[in-house]
Amino acid sequence: MCRLRCWSHLLKGTTIPVLVFTDHANLRYYWEPRKIGPHIAGYLPEREQYNIILEYKPGATNRADALSRRPDYKGPNPINDDVTVWPDHYFCDNHTSIRVFDMDSIGDNLDSRIKLAQYKEQPLLKKWAPTHNLSLLDGIHWYHGTALVVVADNALRRGVISLFHDHVTASHAGITKTLQLITPYYWWPNLKTFVTEYVKGCTTCQMTKVNTHPTHPPMFPITPADNARPFETIAMDFITKLPQSGGFDTILTITDTDCSKVSIFIPCHETIDSEGVALLYLNHVIPHYGIPCKIISDCDVRFISKFSTELCCILKIHQNISMAYHPQTDGASKRTNQTLEQYLRVFCGTQQNNWHAWLPLAQYTKNSWPSATTKKTPYDLLIGYTPQVHQPTRKTTIPSLEQRLSSIEEARKAAQEAQCKAQESWIKEKPRYVPFAVASKVWLEGTNL
């Protein structure tokens, strides 16, 4: 007891049992009920202030200094009933199951720092225990299942996530994968939220990974002109770098944007110049639909050359030129190109040297699909019906000329109204563009700079 008093400021009232090694074999004498004197009886109230477990070790194996006891402390005791000085719960039968905390042997690894932090947060952990089903898996430290509980220390939590996200063998995994890697080993409340914020703010991920959710640009739809006729407003673009097929390696796509959404696909060469483009349009479009009033295109040299500019000026054609990688302006042509490329991949996947022969069928397929905006096929708006190729034959009454013209005009007006309503809904009902606040720090996409 004298030695315990020397360290009483550290040993009194501990929540974790303190293991005491002693070479006093006579302490085991009081393991059973004995008659004690006043001297021993005086230690009992003081003993209750310590949360200790005794383990006997012979003197040869115990390096602690031998304790001494004066024999004159023992005196007569008139009331000398048998008293158990050291009951069973003060002795451990198998001390190897008790883990002794040694400040000198603790390492600087992550687990050790988390366990050390738990000692300071015992009240909080006991409060969490019934709510989150925590347990003392090893008798000392708190676990959530098999995962070590990390107390409310942001530095420790960032260290855990860094181990499973930033490490060379973790390779900056995404939110879900990082969470799956951490869960078997560590846990704390709102772990998913903490991991999500950490990964979203990881500088390395933002610099090196492909942005699969880019910021949507603002919508500036091109409103169709009233009572627009087919191919009065067109969008033109090229699909280049294709395999040689019939002497061609490029496709010129022309789309009617304001009226019917009809597309025309013309094979050509990548070396074609502005005069060649004008000649293709003269041969394939003008005999059927006339000269356009407005041409939408990107800033390809064949569309912005002096020849093209002067020709459009003479024919009073308005040029609407977009910047590079600016789909807000020429989105119709980009969507047409995507549809054509998809068709050719399906039917020309094994024989890529004859894609030019599939262009007429691809043009028919594109113009026979109902538009998501107008709800009608381009053929219906252009000629009043969809020509049959693979469709089953049905008997029908052929309408008169007046009825055909009237139905086409009504369909075109309904299609233009539907297009205007759809464009308004893009801006008002489903706005995708979220402007940045002033002084916000943003990452600049430099792929096309």
Side-chain angles (χ1 to χ4, degrees), residues 269-334:
H269 303 88
E270 189 173 0
T271 57
I272 191 172
D273 55 8
S274 301
E275 296 182 21
V277 174
L279 186 60
L280 288 178
Y281 196 89
L282 173 64
N283 294 334
H284 294 84
V285 182
I286 289 182
H288 306 286
Y289 310 108
I291 298 176
C293 298
K294 181 179 179 181
I295 297 178
I296 303 172
S297 66
D298 56 21
C299 54
D300 190 288
V301 65
R302 287 159 287 201
F303 300 138
I304 63 174
S305 65
K306 291 183 178 180
F307 176 84
S308 298
T309 304
E310 187 66 21
L311 180 62
C312 290
C313 181
I314 294 174
L315 298 178
K316 298 182 180 180
I317 300 174
H318 173 65
Q319 282 187 295
N320 192 344
I321 306 297
S322 72
M323 295 184 296
Y325 306 99
H326 198 265
Q328 296 99 311
T329 302
D330 56 347
S333 60
K334 301 301 181 185

Side-chain angles (χ1 to χ4, degrees), residues 421-434:
K421 289 181 179 179
Q423 291 175 349
E424 292 177 358
S425 67
W426 297 341
I427 299 175
K428 296 180 181 179
E429 298 178 8
K430 299 180 181 180
R432 301 186 302 171
Y433 173 63
V434 179

Side-chain angles (χ1 to χ4, degrees), residues 106-139:
I106 188 170
D108 194 28
N109 57 71
L110 186 61
D111 271 16
S112 300
R113 288 187 281 125
I114 293 175
K115 292 177 180 179
L116 179 60
Q118 283 191 3
Y119 291 110
K120 304 175 183 178
E121 300 290 344
Q122 288 297 318
L124 177 62
L125 291 169
K126 291 179 179 179
K127 184 178 178 180
W128 285 354
T131 306
H132 301 290
N133 195 23
L134 306 184
S135 61
L136 293 169
L137 194 61
D138 58 357

Side-chain angles (χ1 to χ4, degrees), residues 206 436-437 439-444:
Q206 296 184 48
F436 293 108
S440 297
K441 293 183 178 180
V442 299
W443 289 96
L444 178 62

Side-chain angles (χ1 to χ4, degrees), residues 17 31 47-48 51-54 85-92:
W31 200 336
R47 181 201 61 187
E48 298 300 322
N51 184 9
I52 59 176
I53 297 177
L54 300 178
V85 179
W86 300 106
D88 291 344
H89 66 273
Y90 281 98
F91 293 87
C92 62

Side-chain angles (χ1 to χ4, degrees), residues 91-163:
F91 293 87
C92 62
D93 295 331
N94 186 8
H95 71 274
T96 56
S97 62
I98 301 174
R99 301 184 62 181
V100 182
F101 180 74
D102 186 1
M103 286 296 296
D104 295 332
S105 63
I106 188 170
D108 194 28
N109 57 71
L110 186 61
D111 271 16
S112 300
R113 288 187 281 125
I114 293 175
K115 292 177 180 179
L116 179 60
Q118 283 191 3
Y119 291 110
K120 304 175 183 178
E121 300 290 344
Q122 288 297 318
L124 177 62
L125 291 169
K126 291 179 179 179
K127 184 178 178 180
W128 285 354
T131 306
H132 301 290
N133 195 23
L134 306 184
S135 61
L136 293 169
L137 194 61
D138 58 357
I140 300 178
H141 304 106
W142 292 93
Y143 288 81
H144 182 268
T146 59
L148 185 62
V149 177
V150 184
V151 294
D153 187 330
N154 288 336
L156 283 178
R157 293 177 176 179
R158 283 193 295 269
V160 169
I161 300 177
S162 176
L163 178 63

Side-chain angles (χ1 to χ4, degrees), residues 64 73 105 110 154 197 204 211 250 272 402 441:
Y73 283 164
S105 63
L110 186 61
N154 288 336
E197 293 177 353
T204 303
N211 184 12
T250 301
I272 191 172
E402 291 77 8
K441 293 183 178 180

